[in-house]
Amino acid sequence: MLRLRASLSLGRTVRFTRLPCQPLSFSAVSREAGGEFFSPAQIERAEDEVDVCIVGAGPAGLSAAIRLKQLERDKGNDIRVVVLEKGSEVGAHILSGAVIEPRALNELLPDWQNRPGHPLLQPATSSHMHFLTTNYSFPIPHPPQMGNDGNYIASLSNFTRWLSSIAEEEYGVEIYPGFAGAQLLYSPEEDAIDSWGNKVHSVRGVITNEVGLTRDFRMKSSFEPGMAFRSKVTLLAEGAHGSLSKSAIGKYQLNKGSQPQTYAIGVKEVWRVDPDQYRPGEVIHSVGWPLDAGTYGGGFVYHMHGGLVSLGLVIGLDYKNPWLSPYKELQRLKTHPYFRELLSGKSERVAYGARVLTEGGLQSVPTLHFPGGALIGCSAGFVNIAKIKGTHNAMKSGMLAAEAAYDSVFLKAPKESEEGSPADLSAYNKALRNSWVWSDLHEVRNLRPSFNTPLGLWGGILYSGIDTLLFKGKVPWTFKHTDKTAQQLGGRSLDSLHTEPASMHNKIDYPPPEPGLTTDLLTSVSLTGTNHAEDQPVHLRVDGGGPAGIGGSQGSQSVSSERGQQHLSNIRRHHVQTNVEQYAGLLEHACPAGVYEYVEEDESVRNTEKSEGWDGKRLVINSQNCIHCKLCDVKVPTQDITWMVPEGSGGPKYTIT
């Protein structure tokens, strides 16, 4: 087994254990050519003991890992730190603008500018804000928080790749690309008290995803069960809307009393522009066209190092019109005279990508710790939406969590704590609220929700201007995203509730592709390098269908049983009826990778028990196209799509995004 060999090659002792699983009801299990049906309860997993397991090799996870090893050097106590990364390599799933504020980096690695190979080669030289109409661009003042003196324009994918090399080569952090964290490993007994006084099971590590299953959950000859990494501390650094983070937030009610998280979708391209159009270090942000006055969002253009320009569009996922396509809005943006000129001459598009980002800000930050671990980075949501930056806050949160973990777990003498008690990282929660991360978010806490007033775009611009220029956040009020708490939404995303029926909106007439400037969606997806094994369980589950233990799904019906198949067919039929009849098949327009289609159902299946469609339409999920943006999980009105991790190494292969 490849995963077992990886551990043995490092001289690690690996145990095999049959881990407890949730009970399942299996029936009619057959042994066909595809292999025996997968039963989680009968699988023995390889186990590895680590001190700290970090899920996600992004800025937050890598900063936490480096800080832990720095504390090890300064204070003693050997610590084994493992970072699990679902991408095929570090940086493969990292996408951002990005203009990086180096505040946290200066604290983590004060000498970073003297290190060979660092990717922060292009300082930001100027910052401008524009209001766009269909044919014109008008300069407008930008908030002081959007100033970029001392910041750098870079590929965040390259930045994390460089940071990982420091973590591995200088500090001995173990980083395992291709290992997708699929389930949290809980203690067998209720051994902890959560933040609300409830007795609960603590987190004791992570189980990675199974590899070598067919689409219908049968074991191939290449099958490998997921590996269990038992850890004293588990840090979740998955980025916005991570699947394990969702699980932890739900289980431990971490969002109890906080505002619901809100999201945006960022869609971007990287171009190598004509030398006559290249202005190194220039930063441009725009509002207005092509979005209407009721849709929050804006464009960006960052002139990177080496003649590259990063450009894109960010759209709040609380948009109302289900006909809206974020991808096509970006293509339409490029038809503006400003972009036509920028991308004229010898310009060439070299990359494309999309990812959701958190917009909720201070109001939506949940309780950060849980028994045995904590949320760090965008798993908790630390993006400063006024700055349109979050890397600095993500890194600092990882550093603070590392310090709390070290002090709580690795400095204690054996007699000071009961052996085997779960890690308590409540000090991290307090430290972050006393840090500059909290101040950074507090100052701009009212800007994003101000756009949800009846005045819409104009009201938000007016309030934001007054608040940022005069009050600087020092007002006695804090706006809410909604009158309800996250708990009161019952697991539904706030953004999905903003979607209105298609009958209330006109279909958007997008222009056809223009060669050399705009392209169709699948041509763009080809630039992401996305790849998934074709015959594997679909990781985009309608209502979480599938055996428990596969990708963390909690389905109770065996997909091999006739009853289970009928149950899933009914769920999919309801999905199609609601989304097609009321919302014009929103996912077909919204997904920036062409994953979802509502196609004609075969006439031989219609009106039979085998039908999964409605009114002649059925849902097709092209999961091999998925670029892991998470939009579907957040935005679908029926809230019945669950994004789970696919087999490790699947997904996009970003390099300069």
Side-chain angles (χ1 to χ4, degrees):
M1 290 166 52
L2 293 177
R3 300 178 183 206
L4 182 57
R5 290 194 195 106
S7 290
L8 292 176
S9 67
L10 294 168
R12 305 298 183 192
T13 301
V14 178
R15 299 184 290 140
F16 285 93
T17 305
R18 184 165 294 169
L19 297 175
C21 292
Q22 296 200 1
L24 279 172
S25 172
F26 289 98
S27 61
V29 176
S30 61
R31 298 171 183 267
E32 299 177 357
E36 187 175 347
F37 190 81
F38 173 69
S39 174
Q42 300 173 6
I43 293 298
E44 289 187 344
R45 302 185 185 279
E47 281 190 23
D48 205 359
E49 300 279 350
V50 306
D51 291 310
V52 180
C53 182
I54 301 172
V55 183
L62 293 171
S63 297
I66 291 172
R67 186 70 188 122
L68 279 162
K69 300 299 277 186
Q70 288 175 338
L71 291 167
E72 174 193 72
R73 288 184 180 182
D74 294 342
K75 300 182 179 181
N77 293 325
D78 290 343
I79 304 174
R80 186 179 174 204
V81 180
V82 163
V83 179
L84 305 179
E85 167 54 43
K86 66 182 175 68
S88 58
E89 61 180 34
V90 175
H93 291 178
I94 298 294
L95 180 139
S96 183
V99 177
I100 297 175
E101 182 178 317
R103 188 173 184 178
L105 181 61
N106 292 337
E107 295 181 10
L108 182 67
L109 301 169
D111 64 339
W112 66 267
Q113 295 187 64
N114 299 322
R115 292 172 178 264
H118 80 75
L120 302 188
L121 302 174
Q122 182 56 66
T125 57
S126 63
S127 299
H128 306 282
M129 190 86 173
H130 292 263
F131 181 83
L132 302 184
T133 64
T134 307
N135 295 308
Y136 297 99
S137 173
F138 300 97
I140 59 176
H142 64 66
Q145 292 85 355
M146 293 182 72
N148 285 299
D149 289 347
N151 296 338
Y152 295 84
I153 305 171
S155 157
L156 196 61
S157 175
N158 280 338
F159 178 74
T160 54
R161 200 170 291 113
W162 169 75
L163 206 58
S164 73
S165 68
I166 293 173
E168 284 188 302
E169 297 167 14
E170 288 192 34
Y171 291 100
V173 174
E174 298 174 41
I175 302 177
Y176 295 123
F179 278 52
Q183 301 176 69
L184 293 173
L185 181 60
Y186 296 106
S187 61
E189 306 293 337
E190 292 181 339
D191 61 348
I193 304 296
D194 68 12
S195 298
W196 320 112
N198 304 306
K199 198 168 184 180
V200 294
H201 298 265
S202 63
V203 172
R204 293 304 178 114
V206 173
I207 301 175
T208 62
N209 210 359
E210 330 296 349
V211 172
L213 290 174
T214 65
R215 184 173 287 256
D216 61 349
F217 302 102
R218 298 183 185 279
M219 294 182 287
K220 303 176 187 176
S221 60
S222 59
F223 172 74
E224 296 178 23
M227 188 170 178
F229 287 85
R230 292 191 176 273
S231 59
K232 298 174 183 176
V233 176
T234 302
L235 300 180
L236 302 182
E238 302 171 289
H241 211 63
S243 50
L244 295 187
S245 303
K246 279 180 59 180
S247 178
I249 289 170
K251 181 176 180 64
Y252 299 110
Q253 303 179 75
L254 301 182
N255 55 7
K256 184 177 180 179
S258 67
Q259 283 279 282
Q261 186 58 263
T262 66
Y263 298 88
I265 181 70
V267 189
K268 71 170 288 187
E269 297 177 353
V270 179
W271 285 67
R272 189 175 302 280
V273 298
D274 189 290
D276 290 341
Q277 299 298 328
Y278 178 55
R279 297 176 290 278
E282 183 177 80
V283 174
I284 299 289
H285 290 104
S286 68
V287 294
W289 192 86
L291 304 179
D292 62 37
T295 302
Y296 181 85
F300 64 87
V301 179
Y302 304 150
H303 289 251
M304 305 164 66
H305 178 72
L308 296 176
V309 171
S310 175
L311 61 90
L313 185 64
V314 176
I315 301 175
L317 286 182
D318 58 352
Y319 68 81
K320 298 176 181 179
N321 186 350
W323 293 105
L324 186 146
S325 165
Y327 175 78
K328 291 182 179 179
E329 293 292 345
L330 172 60
Q331 300 310 304
R332 185 159 64 163
L333 177 67
K334 291 189 298 181
T335 66
H336 190 277
Y338 170 82
F339 285 89
R340 284 187 182 277
E341 182 179 5
L342 173 67
L343 305 177
S344 63
K346 299 178 181 178
S347 295
E348 175 190 13
R349 189 177 63 153
V350 295
Y352 164 75
R355 184 70 166 90
V356 300
L357 60 145
T358 57
E359 285 196 339
L362 192 76
Q363 296 90 320
S364 301
V365 173
T367 299
L368 299 173
H369 69 286
F370 50 82
L375 306 173
I376 61 177
C378 282
S379 287
F382 296 125
V383 172
N384 182 318
I385 200 62
K387 290 183 176 180
I388 320 181
K389 298 176 185 65
T391 303
H392 60 302
N393 288 338
M395 292 178 67
K396 182 63 174 179
S397 72
M399 294 157 63
L400 291 171
E403 291 165 2
Y406 189 89
D407 291 346
S408 173
V409 179
F410 304 109
L411 277 187
K412 284 185 175 180
K415 294 181 180 179
E416 290 181 7
S417 62
E418 183 180 346
E419 185 177 353
S421 60
D424 178 8
L425 268 65
S426 57
Y428 160 55
N429 212 63
K430 297 174 184 176
L432 192 129
R433 280 164 170 76
N434 291 325
S435 72
W436 52 256
V437 174
W438 203 255
S439 301
D440 190 68
L441 296 178
H442 186 269
E443 181 179 345
V444 300
R445 69 193 183 282
N446 286 326
L447 303 194
R448 176 62 177 96
S450 73
F451 284 81
N452 290 332
T453 68
L455 295 177
L457 176 67
W458 297 110
I461 290 176
L462 179 62
Y463 179 86
S464 297
I466 294 172
D467 196 339
T468 56
L469 294 172
L470 299 179
F471 301 143
K472 300 187 184 299
K474 297 176 182 178
V475 293
W477 58 80
T478 297
F479 294 153
K480 295 181 178 180
H481 301 301
T482 177
D483 290 334
K484 297 181 179 180
T485 66
Q487 287 283 302
Q488 290 172 321
L489 292 183
R492 295 178 62 86
S493 80
L494 180 60
D495 293 314
S496 71
L497 296 177
H498 280 279
T499 313
E500 295 179 345
S503 60
M504 298 176 63
H505 297 271
N506 294 323
K507 185 176 181 180
I508 302 174
D509 184 20
Y510 291 109
E514 293 185 37
L517 181 66
T518 64
T519 55
D520 65 274
L521 178 56
L522 293 184
T523 298
S524 293
V525 173
S526 68
L527 292 175
T528 67
T530 296
N531 182 58
H532 296 88
E534 186 172 350
D535 188 20
Q536 66 169 291
V538 175
H539 65 279
L540 302 156
R541 312 284 171 79
V542 181
D543 198 38
I550 299 177
S553 173
Q554 301 301 315
S556 59
Q557 293 282 350
S558 166
V559 296
S560 65
S561 71
E562 183 177 339
R563 186 177 178 184
Q565 289 283 14
Q566 188 60 51
H567 175 66
L568 295 179
S569 294
N570 291 338
I571 290 172
R572 293 173 76 95
R573 189 177 302 112
H574 176 264
H575 170 95
V576 175
Q577 179 177 357
T578 303
N579 285 280
V580 172
E581 183 178 39
Q582 296 184 38
Y583 299 104
L586 176 143
L587 290 179
E588 202 166 38
H589 312 295
C591 175
V595 171
Y596 298 93
E597 295 180 278
Y598 297 94
V599 303
E600 295 295 326
E601 189 170 42
D602 193 299
E603 290 187 6
S604 64
V605 177
R606 294 183 192 179
N607 303 317
T608 70
E609 291 185 355
K610 294 182 179 181
S611 173
E612 294 184 347
W614 172 84
D615 196 27
K617 295 286 186 180
R618 67 182 180 92
L619 171 66
V620 172
I621 301 178
N622 303 305
S623 57
Q624 67 275 12
N625 287 6
C626 180
I627 56 176
H628 298 199
C629 76
K630 313 291 181 69
L631 176 145
C632 54
D633 198 322
V634 173
K635 186 60 178 173
V636 65
T638 45
Q639 287 292 274
D640 53 6
I641 299 289
T642 300
W643 192 98
M644 309 303 300
V645 290
E647 288 187 1
S649 297
K653 289 181 171 59
Y654 296 134
T655 57
I656 56 174
T657 55

